[in-house]
């Protein structure tokens, strides 16, 4: 479980750093694309550490939520690099490759379910799951409603920081506590 939690911490840490770079550089750069690709791979693996930390016995909801989130993350592993290599903007690339719209929908559903599982189990502080829901909604709604990218950048930083924090809580606790929350 520790390796999986380290994957979550490292993956979401990559996302946090990529968002800071994106703000400082006022846009995408090779560093942002590579960090985002690493984030997708490590997050796809790392969500299983959070699942294992918070799920003591059989919990089909948590298992399904984690599996959907993991599959979605891993399906986006090469996406940032493809966008970078294509020379297109992200919107243009997605328009030319509509399969990523389906992957985005799967990610949205998976992350909402995963966030609800974090909130429902009460193993981690409930606010961590709430931050994940808010982050998922803001990330998805920004291009739909034309919200400023700076909003999504800061929301992503809070989202990523929350998962990093959650990963460290899982490492600190070591195993699932049956008596309640670790924080």
């Amino acid at each position: 479980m520790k390796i999986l939690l380290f994957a979550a911490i490292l993956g979401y840490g990559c996302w946090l750093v990529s968002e800071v770079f994106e703000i400082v550089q006022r846009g995408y750069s090779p560093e942002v694309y590579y960090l985002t690709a690493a984030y997708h791979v490590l997050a796809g693996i790392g969500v299983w550490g959070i699942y294992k930390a918070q799920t003591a016995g059989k919990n089909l909801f948590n298992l399904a939520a984690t599996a959907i989130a993991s599959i979605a993350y891993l399906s986006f592993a090469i996406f940032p690099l493809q966008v970078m290599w294509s020379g297109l903007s992200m919107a243009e690339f997605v328009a030319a490759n509509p399969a990523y719209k389906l992957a985005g929908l799967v990610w949205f559903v998976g992350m909402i379910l995963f966030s609800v599982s974090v909130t429902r189990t009460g193993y981690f502080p409930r606010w961590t799951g709430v931050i994940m829901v808010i982050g998922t909604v803001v990330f998805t709604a920004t291009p739909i409603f034309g919200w400023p990218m700076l909003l999504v950048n800061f929301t992503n930083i809070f989202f990523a920081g929350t998962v990093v924090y959650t990963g460290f809580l899982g490492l600190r606790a070591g195993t699932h506590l049956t008596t309640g929350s670790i924080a």
Side-chain angles (χ1 to χ4, degrees):
M1 178 177 76
K2 285 184 179 183
I3 291 173
L4 296 173
L5 287 169
F6 280 122
I9 291 165
L10 185 58
Y12 283 89
C14 285
W15 192 26
L16 192 151
V17 171
S18 78
E19 292 296 324
V20 171
F21 280 175
E22 193 175 323
I23 292 168
V24 170
Q25 298 170 349
R26 299 179 192 239
Y28 300 106
S29 66
E31 297 85 9
V32 170
Y33 288 119
Y34 287 117
L35 284 166
T36 304
Y39 148 65
H40 285 128
V41 171
L42 293 166
I45 297 165
V47 292
W48 290 104
I50 294 168
Y51 162 78
K52 293 197 59 76
Q54 74 177 359
T55 308
K58 291 183 180 181
N59 186 318
L60 189 55
F61 179 82
N62 288 5
L63 178 63
T66 305
I68 295 168
S70 178
I71 290 166
Y73 273 124
L74 294 172
S75 73
F76 276 108
I78 193 81
F79 173 77
L81 302 178
Q82 288 176 315
V83 172
M84 180 178 69
W85 296 329
S86 75
L88 301 172
S89 72
M90 201 169 305
E92 292 168 335
F93 185 83
V94 171
N97 299 279
Y100 279 115
K101 289 182 182 180
L102 177 59
L105 177 62
V106 172
W107 177 84
F108 177 78
V109 169
M111 284 311 298
I112 293 293
L113 294 174
F114 184 75
S115 303
V116 168
S117 79
V118 170
T119 304
R120 270 183 29 164
T121 62
Y123 179 71
F124 296 110
R126 295 194 195 284
W127 63 263
T128 59
V130 172
I131 294 292
M132 289 180 207
V133 168
I134 292 168
T136 301
V137 170
V138 170
F139 182 85
T140 305
T142 295
I144 296 168
F145 296 112
W147 295 342
M149 276 309 294
L150 204 53
L151 171 66
V152 80
N153 292 134
F154 281 109
T155 303
N156 289 348
I157 288 169
F158 283 113
F159 185 153
T162 297
V163 180
V164 168
Y165 171 74
T166 301
F168 278 117
L169 287 177
L171 287 174
R172 186 186 81 192
T175 59
H176 183 80
L177 302 174
T178 56
T179 58
S181 175
I182 60 174

